Amino acid sequence: MATKGEMVRALAQRFDLNPNKVDAMAREMGRAGLLTPGGRGRAAADMQGTDVFHLTLPLALGLETKDAPGAVQELSQLPLVFGNLFLDGHIQWEANCDAMGKSKLLDALNRLPVAGLELYSTFGAFCGHWLEAGFNDPEDGFGSARVSVEVSSAGPHAVFSHRSDQGNLKLWFGEAATDLKTPEWERRTILSDKLFRRLSQLTRSGGS
């Protein structure tokens, strides 16, 4: 896994930003408890998937350093409100969000239909987990599939999409995701499959 310094340099390169700017944002995020304490040299801690995702969000959204911690905190804690897997027009799986964490049996029945992955109840935790494990096993038909993450200012809310020959998986985070009304305006940011794979590589190996 990448250290904080490696993460900062890699994301600065990915978003074509000054590394000092990204480092300043990482320090602000760290003070807010949104990044794993880094350390330096041999004592430098490995960044987890959630750390990489947390620092990616404000860079992708174009936020100012001072605004990043509050916005990321809100987005990261967006609750899972709905999820399903469609194949050939039929629902193959549907998330029971109200049952999550209430018992081991219900959690087992609610298990995400992707080998080696867990269904997390918040947006940040789920995307961080995906960066660590989502592309690990391309032979199961899921690891090679295309991923996209869409963040909307309406609410806000977010949508995670995953398309493979085993079906189209979609997870909605944030209560506003269930609002059928079309907002008068909204700003959307999309994290592409290519970016998500780069972030996963950074998370797992420290590469850029």
Side-chain angles (χ1 to χ4, degrees), residues 24-92:
M25 186 169 287
R27 290 198 302 270
E28 283 295 308
M29 301 276 284
R31 280 192 282 268
L34 293 166
L35 294 182
T36 300
R40 293 182 180 277
R42 292 184 178 180
D46 288 335
M47 297 291 101
Q48 307 301 309
T50 305
D51 297 314
V52 173
F53 187 66
H54 277 172
L55 188 54
T56 296
L57 279 175
L59 301 178
L61 293 169
L63 299 178
E64 294 295 329
T65 298
K66 62 182 177 60
D67 300 323
V72 171
Q73 181 71 41
E74 181 180 23
L75 290 170
S76 183
Q77 292 302 312
L78 289 175
L80 176 65
V81 294
F82 189 65
N84 59 35
L85 176 70
F86 264 87
L87 180 63
D88 297 330
H90 300 285
I91 294 180
Q92 305 297 313

Side-chain angles (χ1 to χ4, degrees), residues 125-178:
F126 176 79
C127 288
H129 176 58
W130 189 278
L131 291 181
E132 293 179 6
F135 297 112
N136 282 355
D137 188 7
E139 294 182 0
D140 65 3
F142 279 94
S144 59
R146 296 184 64 81
V147 163
S148 71
V149 175
E150 183 175 295
V151 180
S152 169
S153 62
H157 71 276
V159 182
F160 178 93
S161 302
H162 181 277
R163 295 178 175 85
S164 75
D165 56 5
Q166 297 190 33
N168 293 338
L169 174 69
K170 216 164 190 180
L171 301 173
W172 288 263
F173 297 87
E175 296 299 334
T178 61

Side-chain angles (χ1 to χ4, degrees), residues 5-41:
E6 290 171 337
M7 175 178 70
V8 165
R9 290 190 294 273
L11 291 181
Q13 180 182 21
R14 186 62 47 207
F15 288 95
D16 195 23
L17 294 170
N18 187 318
N20 292 332
K21 175 181 173 63
V22 180
D23 186 57
M25 186 169 287
R27 290 198 302 270
E28 283 295 308
M29 301 276 284
R31 280 192 282 268
L34 293 166
L35 294 182
T36 300
R40 293 182 180 277

